[in-house]
């Protein structure tokens, strides 16, 4: 009887965790826009990043979070922190806010959640924009053109999602085979 109760508790815990994750943005890529503009195209790039990050950072264990390829590299958790920092640059640009060097002491779940929320906010703003050139990257007095957003933080974060994916394979916890990156959907 104790085993049955323990199994039920574990199942309820797993179901509630799964439901929480599905409420986070980017479980799947949102539907694409009816029109092609600089804003909708850039929003789609951010959506794709969000989807890749969602799955590259899903259900990580302590072993996964501590993994690093070599002594000079970042751990998976440090890589997630870096992607979070990049997401702050992306969202601050769309909010027309300057970036700060303030570091937040966040754990894995908070980093993951805030990263996904930042990306969703940025994508939604971009999707509605007719002029993405207004979204400069601001560091102090320096304003950097939006072009740098594409080859800088967006591309860099996608790159690091690939690293996380490789790290997960190495630790024996690969991304679910049900994830279809081409369609941005989850296979049944």
């Amino acid at each position: 009887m104790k085993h049955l109760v323990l199994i039920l508790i574990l199942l309820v815990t797993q179901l509630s965790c799964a439901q929480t994750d599905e409420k986070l943005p980017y479980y799947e890529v949102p539907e694409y826009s009816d029109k092609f503009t600089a804003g909708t195209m850039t929003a789609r790039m951010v959506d794709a990043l969000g989807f890749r990050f969602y799955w590259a950072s899903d259900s990580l264990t302590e072993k996964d979070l501590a993994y690093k390829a070599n002594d000079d590299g970042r751990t998976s958790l440090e890589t997630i922190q870096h992607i979070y920092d990049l997401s702050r640059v992306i969202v601050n640009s769309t909010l027309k806010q300057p970036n700060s060097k303030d570091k937040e002491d966040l754990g894995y779940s908070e980093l993951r959640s805030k990263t996904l929320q930042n990306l969703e906010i940025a994508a939604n703003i971009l999707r509605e924009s007719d002029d993405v050139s207004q979204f400069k990257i601001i560091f102090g007095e320096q304003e950097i053109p939006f072009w740098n957003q594409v080859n800088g933080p967006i591309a860099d974060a996608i790159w690091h999602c690939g690293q996380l994916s490789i790290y997960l394979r190495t630790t024996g916890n690969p991304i679910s085979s049900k994830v279809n990156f081409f369609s941005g959907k989850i296979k049944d």
Side-chain angles (χ1 to χ4, degrees), residues 92-111:
N92 285 342
S93 173
T94 61
L95 295 172
K96 301 179 183 179
Q97 295 178 350
N99 291 285
S100 72
K101 294 187 184 222
D102 297 340
K103 290 288 182 188
E104 298 175 76
D105 187 25
L106 304 173
Y108 156 65
S109 294
E110 290 174 302
L111 287 168

Side-chain angles (χ1 to χ4, degrees), residues 167-182:
Y167 291 176
L168 289 174
R169 286 185 196 136
T170 303
T171 60
N173 185 16
I175 293 174
S176 170
S177 61
K178 292 182 178 187
V179 177
N180 184 325
F181 290 104
F182 183 72

Side-chain angles (χ1 to χ4, degrees), residues 54 118 130 143 164 168:
Y54 182 100
N118 285 345
D130 292 328
E143 291 188 357
L164 288 175
L168 289 174

Side-chain angles (χ1 to χ4, degrees), residues 3 36-37 53 55 58 60 63 67 70 74 80 89 97-98 101 117 119 129 151 157 160 167 172 174 179 185:
H3 292 290
F36 285 89
T37 67
F53 179 74
W55 290 103
D58 182 49
L60 303 188
K63 178 182 175 184
Y67 180 80
N70 59 50
R74 291 182 177 123
I80 291 169
V89 174
Q97 295 178 350
K101 294 187 184 222
Q117 291 166 4
L119 297 175
S129 174
N151 58 282
H160 290 301
Y167 291 176
V179 177
K185 303 292 180 200

